[in-house]
Amino acid sequence: MPSQPGGGVTAARIADLTDRAAAAHVAARPRTAAALAAAAGAWLGTVPMHWMRDWPQPFPLLVARAKGAVLEDIDGHRIDDFCLGDTGAMFGHSPPPVARALRAQAGRGLTCMLPCEDTLAVGALLSERFGPFRWQIATTATDANRFALRIARAVTGRPKVLVFNGCYHGTVDETMVRLRDGRTEARPGLVGQVADLGATAVAVEFNDLAAVDAALAAGDVAAVLTEPVMTNSCMVLPDPGFHQGLRDLTRRHGALLMIDETHTISTGLGGYTRVHGLAPDIFVLGKCVAGGLAAAVWGLSPELADRFASYNASRPAGHSGMGTTLSANMLQFAALRATLAEVMTPANYARMEAGAERLQAGLARAIAAHAAPWHVVRVGARVEFICAPGPLRNGSEAEAAHAPALEAAIHARLLNRGCLIAPFHNMMLVSPATTRAQIDRLIAAFSATLAELFA
């Protein structure tokens, strides 16, 4: 838990750094400011997707080109990209095999709501990489999670989903909850929320197997939905034995275990599930699985697939509530095949792991040099600095460790120095295209920013 508010930095110093970073951003990007102002009236909230307003700068970058681990904006600045589309471009922007596959497929058709030859190869590659699941394709991991939860409820006949306080699984309704005073309630800030989310979800703390046991004992939980490592806030690692405990408890109580690897695919080839030998009933992966093209996959274990087949054969005729028209289109399959066969490789993961180790060590040295009460966490190619002592064990501790104003000031100052990290948290990714020089520039920029904060 944090020992001091604001990560040990005074509010006045945070405000000063924020002001200077904003002024530098505006001065460096006159073309961007003018172009955004001229076109903003067409968009709700001035941007085509509201998350684009969540960057800490006065206005977002206007990207001219993204290649490898570098962004170029329309003012001519080259930026070392460690956000990488918040994992969507984890293997780098426009990996050459994916770009070639998309160019070739574009002349042969984009979508037709029928399988194609690439479908056959992709199914085999998915099982080779992640395990012998029975697969389906979606467009986003949110879709994949939502569809898979229908399966879980169908085969178990149970209404609820167990999630962990502070979790992130896209915009699935059942995951938009928090644990407060022992009750599961909707998170604050949800737009247009009318249903009682506590009727379909139960939240407990990560790493608390006793709480999981008690919640599952009620007999109304269809599935436990979890990331192997809590991400998207302040990263929380599992305690030794936690995942085996989850597997044992779900089996004992007749619930399914559903692992969402949309962020933790950074762990290594096959994700955290394959690297650490987990055995989920349902496996979900999105973001980078098609090299940056919108696609997600979800798979059922053979046993669960057979249970669903029996259910499906007996249900009334009608709409399943799953699927979208553009899911599993030919363009997705071209990108999936190229990514799985030529990009998501042992050699690329080894390069990413080595670079992330270098980044983790450099950030930790900078923190120690400035005596900051912070720590660094890494899961494979994913690195995060946390502006509080650690390690953290659950979502409540992660929320308490979050220092929004301080983190925003750091992010803005890093961009002034030519380094971009994820806007919603302190996540950095190392791609196969990321160079040692880029990593060292980020470490130097981070150290210089700490010098301003802790001088």
Side-chain angles (χ1 to χ4, degrees):
M1 301 289 284
S3 58
Q4 304 177 60
V9 184
T10 66
R13 186 154 290 184
I14 293 171
D16 175 66
L17 190 66
T18 299
D19 290 344
R20 289 190 288 117
H25 184 82
V26 171
R29 292 178 169 84
R31 290 185 61 194
T32 299
L36 287 170
W43 299 109
L44 177 67
T46 74
V47 290
M49 203 268 282
H50 70 94
W51 289 0
M52 294 176 179
R53 297 198 309 270
D54 290 342
W55 298 87
Q57 291 76 33
F59 49 82
L61 300 176
L62 199 55
V63 177
R65 188 171 185 265
K67 183 66 177 174
V70 176
L71 299 178
E72 296 180 23
D73 68 14
I74 68 166
D75 283 279
H77 301 288
R78 288 174 56 85
I79 300 131
D80 293 329
D81 186 8
F82 290 88
C83 173
L84 294 171
D86 198 19
T87 310
M90 186 181 79
F91 297 109
H93 296 288
S94 295
V98 177
R100 287 193 297 269
L102 292 177
R103 281 195 296 270
Q105 184 60 50
R108 299 195 299 264
L110 305 180
T111 188
C112 60
M113 214 168 69
L114 285 167
C116 59
E117 263 195 307
D118 281 341
T119 306
L120 310 178
V122 167
L125 285 165
L126 285 170
S127 293
E128 179 185 325
R129 287 284 181 258
F130 304 110
F133 297 97
R134 308 280 175 80
W135 297 100
Q136 289 280 275
I137 304 296
T139 301
T140 70
T142 292
D143 288 341
N145 280 320
R146 188 178 289 123
F147 302 156
L149 287 175
R150 281 190 172 271
I151 302 287
R153 288 179 166 130
V155 301
T156 63
R158 298 176 176 185
K160 287 192 175 183
V161 179
L162 186 150
V163 296
F164 292 104
N165 187 41
C167 69
Y168 184 72
H169 300 285
T171 55
V172 176
D173 281 357
E174 293 87 345
T175 69
M176 297 286 104
V177 294
R178 67 177 183 176
L179 182 65
R180 283 293 178 272
D181 301 322
R183 293 182 60 254
T184 300
E185 63 182 27
R187 293 183 183 183
L190 293 178
V191 174
Q193 185 62 44
V194 293
D196 176 13
L197 297 180
T200 55
V202 55
V204 303
E205 293 287 9
F206 196 73
N207 281 322
D208 189 344
L209 289 173
V212 173
D213 193 9
L216 295 183
D220 58 356
V221 172
V224 173
L225 170 56
T226 186
E227 292 184 287
V229 173
M230 290 193 74
T231 66
N232 219 61
S233 178
C234 296
M235 197 153 57
V236 179
L237 301 177
D239 286 347
F242 176 66
H243 283 297
Q244 185 58 54
L246 278 184
R247 181 67 282 185
D248 293 343
L249 288 171
T250 50
R251 284 176 172 151
R252 184 186 311 164
H253 292 289
L256 301 173
L257 179 59
M258 184 169 165
I259 298 290
D260 180 355
E261 288 258 27
T262 297
H263 283 154
T264 56
I265 187 62
S266 65
T267 306
L269 192 65
Y272 197 101
T273 294
R274 213 74 190 277
V275 171
H276 293 276
L278 307 189
D281 301 296
I282 305 173
F283 179 92
V284 174
L285 174 60
K287 296 214 188 227
C288 65
V289 70
L293 192 77
V297 300
W298 55 283
L300 309 181
S301 70
E303 296 79 12
L304 181 57
D306 289 342
R307 288 174 66 185
F308 177 64
S310 297
Y311 165 88
N312 204 34
S314 62
R315 72 179 176 90
H319 201 295
S320 67
M322 301 184 295
T324 55
T325 302
L326 293 179
S327 292
N329 64 68
M330 292 184 289
L331 206 61
Q332 283 178 317
F333 277 111
L336 282 162
R337 184 174 187 175
T339 302
L340 293 166
E342 301 179 67
V343 178
M344 195 180 284
T345 64
N348 275 342
Y349 268 109
R351 182 177 176 84
M352 293 157 69
E353 178 93 3
E357 284 182 359
R358 184 180 184 89
L359 177 58
Q360 178 187 24
L363 297 178
R365 284 195 306 271
I367 288 169
H370 295 283
W374 304 357
H375 70 290
V376 182
V377 185
R378 180 172 70 85
V379 177
R382 185 185 183 98
V383 182
E384 186 173 338
F385 64 85
I386 297 172
C387 302
L392 307 175
R393 293 198 62 250
N394 57 46
S396 291
E397 291 187 8
E399 183 179 0
H402 188 39
L406 172 59
E407 292 165 11
I410 295 168
H411 294 192
R413 202 59 169 150
L414 289 176
L415 182 57
N416 290 161
R417 294 182 163 106
C419 302
L420 185 73
I421 70 173
F424 313 112
H425 37 87
N426 302 323
M427 187 275 292
M428 296 149 283
L429 282 166
V430 174
S431 78
T434 306
T435 66
R436 286 182 127 197
Q438 288 179 296
I439 292 167
D440 291 345
R441 281 197 295 269
L442 175 56
I443 293 167
F446 181 73
S447 184
T449 301
L450 264 63
E452 294 179 298
L453 290 168
F454 290 99

